[in-house]
Amino acid sequence: MKLFRQEPLTRDIRDFLTLLEEKGQLKRISSPVDSDLEIAAISDRVLGMGGPALLFENVKGSSIPVAVNLLGTMERVVWSMGLEKQEELEDLGKKLALLQQPRPPKGFKETKAFASVAWDLLKARPDIDLLPPCHQKVISEKELDLNHLPLLRPWPEDAGGAITLGLVITKDPETGVPNVGVYRLQRQSAKSMTVHWLSVRGGARHLRKAAAMNKKLEVAVAIGVHPLLVMAAATPIPVQLSEWLFAGLYAGEGVRLTKCKTIDLQVPSHSEIVLEGSISPGEEMMDGPFGDHMGFYGGAESSPLIRFHCMTQRKKPIFLTTFSGRPPKEEAMLAIALNRIYTPILKQQIPEIIDFFLPMEALSYKLAVISIDKAYPGQAKRAAMAFWSALPQFTYTKFVVVVDSTINVRDPRQVVWVLSSQVDPQRDLFILENTPFDTLDFASENIGLGGRLAIDATTKIGPEKNHDWGKPLTRSKELEDKVDERWAELGLSELENKQPSPELFGYVIDELMRQKKINNSLRLLSCSK
């Protein structure tokens, strides 16, 4: 398999900020701003305009600048992986699909592909950094004060300041295998925070094991890492790899790690800030409410309490953060990228699936559109059932629309057309009742338990129909080719590539108005000397 990296991976967030600045995709804000509500409000407006990443250099109450919106466009997500085009993300998906291939390779071509992946695995092994930048300054428990961190409170009814893009690192108390996740942490005091994780996540499993052994669970939180590591940690990986090795596969090179000062865990050596602490099993505090990706405030609930006793950092650290809410948000852009990566993996597990798409406006996981090469009656229902069980991240997908392979799943016009023209609600809707469900979804009658709907929007064949169907409208290839040849002659060349991009499922911004609003808003924020 051809190596896909176009340029060397930047090793830390500072290099990535430099890259963005060189590409005209970073705006430095020197005016004083408040981390309580104001930064999120400004950033949300810029993100909605498709604007640049922001670095707030003068945050009230803190000496630490805040970086936000780094992954606010698909273009910047792709750059964070050292790539240039979205399509290249599928190359990585093909490698991951090979790693879980259930059979040995057949023939020279497959053998060569496996050898390439094996070499990538060797390159992806983490390395140890003996002089880590994250240890340039060590703050003891006595001096530690979380109030000095510029924790964002994005929404008016949020319970407090939070860490949102920190890597939360724990280790299985039995096997010693680490888990790296991205969970929200809420400040509770100058030295403690609650962590909000689902019971199925790796950190929660480690805590249950520690409790059974009557042990504390050590926890490290790495803040300000390269965005690529955040993406790798947020990915529910479908193969038995450590997150560090997985991140190395993303990056094309091993992650540089270092051991914490006071606990037996390893963290990325180029982290801007590292918090070291532990959870005593059973010690909890109320966490939330917080504005969530569903567009509502989530409920308050009792969550594990982390007591921190050490903080290390780089000189003049940078605080990387984000916030949730209705799309578009940074997490939606990450989901679109992951959609590309998962496509080859899903197609390997369910060969009849040609393509699939998770629209951003459907919260990037609540609705899936999948296309199949239909061959027999009832195949659409089978494909929907297979999709729900294929990968862990599809567990909470509420709606699945199945279309023919001739339909572009990323074009809302085609999908809406086929829903309107191919579906009879009394025949083509399939509902699963009382399935495990997202606890953040208030639409369910019972929290944590809900239904799923599959819609068969494919062409009906055999016993699926009781009457003849109208002949579809088509033009000959010869006529289309003739029009292509005459396009410039007719003076219509300027109309090429003017169709709105379907990738964001209808989220189209008028370019001139967007640029005008961005420039006007940022001009007000900048300090001119």
Side-chain angles (χ1 to χ4, degrees):
M1 185 177 296
K2 185 179 179 180
L3 293 177
F4 54 83
R5 182 152 307 286
Q6 300 298 311
E7 56 186 75
L9 175 75
T10 51
R11 283 192 177 275
D12 60 22
I13 189 176
R14 301 182 186 207
D15 290 333
F16 187 60
L17 289 171
T18 299
L19 174 68
L20 294 183
E21 197 156 29
E22 290 173 350
K23 291 178 176 286
Q25 285 290 303
L26 176 69
K27 180 67 178 181
R28 294 176 181 268
I29 307 295
S30 56
S31 300
V33 290
D34 199 327
S35 61
D36 188 67
L37 302 179
E38 190 177 22
I39 286 182
I42 295 168
S43 303
D44 204 5
R45 185 176 299 186
V46 173
L47 189 150
M49 296 174 179
L54 301 175
L55 184 63
F56 294 93
E57 298 176 317
N58 188 359
V59 182
K60 295 177 182 179
S62 179
S63 61
I64 303 174
V66 170
V68 68
N69 283 2
L70 267 62
L71 302 176
T73 66
M74 272 303 300
E75 187 178 42
R76 297 200 291 270
V77 172
V78 171
W79 290 346
S80 78
M81 304 189 74
L83 307 175
E84 292 296 331
K85 299 178 182 178
Q86 294 184 40
E87 291 74 18
E88 294 174 280
L89 294 169
E90 292 195 21
D91 289 337
L92 176 60
K94 291 175 183 177
K95 292 186 178 184
L96 297 179
L98 280 174
L99 286 173
Q100 55 181 24
Q101 191 93 322
R103 58 172 176 78
K106 294 181 178 179
F108 176 76
K109 187 175 181 180
E110 282 194 8
T111 301
K112 184 178 178 182
F114 270 85
S116 174
V117 173
W119 174 242
D120 288 337
L121 278 172
L122 286 174
K123 292 190 299 179
R125 290 179 301 176
D127 194 11
I128 299 299
D129 195 340
L130 300 179
L131 296 173
C134 68
H135 287 171
Q136 288 172 351
K137 183 177 180 180
V138 179
I139 301 171
S140 66
E141 182 174 5
K142 183 179 179 180
E143 300 170 320
L144 176 59
D145 187 351
L146 298 176
N147 295 305
H148 292 161
L149 297 180
L151 305 183
L152 261 59
R153 193 171 74 97
W155 301 102
E157 296 182 31
D158 283 353
I163 294 173
T164 52
L165 283 184
L167 302 186
V168 180
I169 303 157
T170 58
K171 187 167 62 174
D172 189 306
E174 292 179 340
T175 65
V177 175
N179 179 80
V180 186
V182 180
Y183 314 117
R184 189 195 70 235
L185 298 102
Q186 176 190 334
R187 180 173 53 204
Q188 296 288 354
S189 72
K191 303 182 192 302
S192 67
M193 305 186 81
T194 44
V195 57
H196 184 268
W197 52 31
L198 298 175
S199 60
V200 297
R201 300 303 185 195
R205 293 196 302 270
H206 291 175
L207 181 57
R208 288 194 295 271
K209 283 190 174 184
M213 299 168 66
N214 198 28
K215 290 182 176 181
K216 290 184 178 182
L217 180 68
E218 294 182 329
V219 181
V221 181
I223 304 168
V225 298
H226 192 283
L228 181 79
L229 299 184
V230 174
M231 189 170 177
T235 304
I237 54 180
V239 288
Q240 297 303 313
L241 298 173
S242 76
E243 281 82 3
W244 300 135
L245 190 60
F246 193 64
L249 282 173
Y250 266 10
E253 62 182 19
V255 178
R256 295 185 68 81
L257 302 174
T258 194
K259 189 175 180 180
C260 289
K261 286 289 187 180
T262 63
I263 56 179
D264 188 20
L265 290 173
Q266 292 180 329
V267 296
S269 65
H270 287 72
S271 305
E272 295 290 315
I273 299 170
V274 176
L275 295 169
E276 303 179 8
S278 62
I279 301 174
S280 296
E283 188 174 16
E284 298 181 337
M285 289 189 70
M286 291 303 296
D287 182 278
F290 277 94
D292 223 308
H293 65 280
M294 296 290 293
F296 304 97
Y297 287 99
E301 58 182 302
S302 188
S303 298
L305 183 71
I306 308 175
R307 294 191 179 276
F308 294 109
H309 44 257
C310 181
M311 182 171 84
T312 67
Q313 65 179 57
R314 300 181 66 162
K315 295 176 181 177
K316 298 181 180 180
I318 299 168
F319 189 85
L320 175 63
T321 190
T322 191
F323 50 92
S324 292
R326 287 179 59 180
K329 296 290 182 290
E330 286 185 87
E331 59 196 3
M333 302 304 167
L334 285 175
I336 293 172
L338 292 175
N339 191 152
R340 291 280 192 179
I341 294 170
Y342 292 150
T343 299
I345 301 171
L346 184 65
K347 288 167 70 174
Q348 177 177 287
Q349 294 202 10
I350 313 173
E352 60 205 313
I353 289 183
I354 303 302
D355 200 2
F356 85 106
F357 183 54
L358 301 167
M360 180 182 71
E361 286 77 2
L363 305 174
S364 303
Y365 73 104
K366 286 294 183 180
L367 181 147
V369 185
I370 64 176
S371 62
I372 64 171
D373 195 1
K374 189 170 181 177
Y376 54 86
Q379 189 176 7
K381 182 184 293 186
R382 179 186 181 278
M385 295 287 288
F387 177 86
W388 275 320
S389 58
L391 295 173
Q393 54 270 34
F394 302 147
T395 301
Y396 297 147
T397 300
K398 190 158 44 171
F399 305 102
V400 174
V401 180
V402 187
V403 301
D404 291 317
S405 58
T406 55
I407 299 297
N408 179 359
V409 296
R410 290 172 173 79
D411 188 341
R413 295 160 298 188
Q414 294 189 39
V415 174
V416 171
W417 172 79
V418 79
L419 280 170
S420 304
S421 63
Q422 298 273 71
V423 173
D424 178 357
Q426 63 183 358
R427 177 195 61 203
D428 297 327
L429 271 58
F430 170 61
I431 296 176
L432 284 178
E433 298 182 352
N434 297 320
T435 62
F437 221 61
D438 187 354
T439 57
L440 294 173
D441 192 332
F442 295 119
S444 300
E445 186 173 353
N446 298 306
I447 296 297
L449 199 64
R452 303 165 193 250
L453 172 67
I455 302 175
D456 179 2
T458 60
T459 300
K460 304 306 178 289
I461 60 177
E464 294 178 333
K465 61 179 183 178
N466 296 319
H467 57 79
D468 292 333
W469 209 285
K471 186 177 180 180
L473 303 176
T474 60
R475 293 188 177 92
S476 68
K477 184 177 184 303
E478 290 77 14
L479 177 58
E480 295 291 355
D481 290 343
K482 182 178 180 180
V483 172
D484 286 343
E485 292 172 2
R486 300 199 61 198
W487 202 249
E489 172 197 339
L490 297 170
L492 298 174
S493 298
E494 69 273 10
L495 297 182
E496 292 182 6
N497 300 321
K498 294 298 183 182
Q499 292 293 337
S501 171
E503 183 64 45
L504 299 186
F505 212 71
Y507 177 63
V508 181
I509 302 170
D510 184 285
E511 183 65 20
L512 293 176
M513 185 62 71
R514 181 179 74 86
Q515 290 297 334
K516 181 179 178 181
K517 288 181 179 179
I518 292 171
N519 292 337
N520 287 344
S521 297
L522 296 180
R523 193 178 297 116
L524 293 174
L525 290 170
S526 300
C527 277
S528 58
K529 294 184 179 179

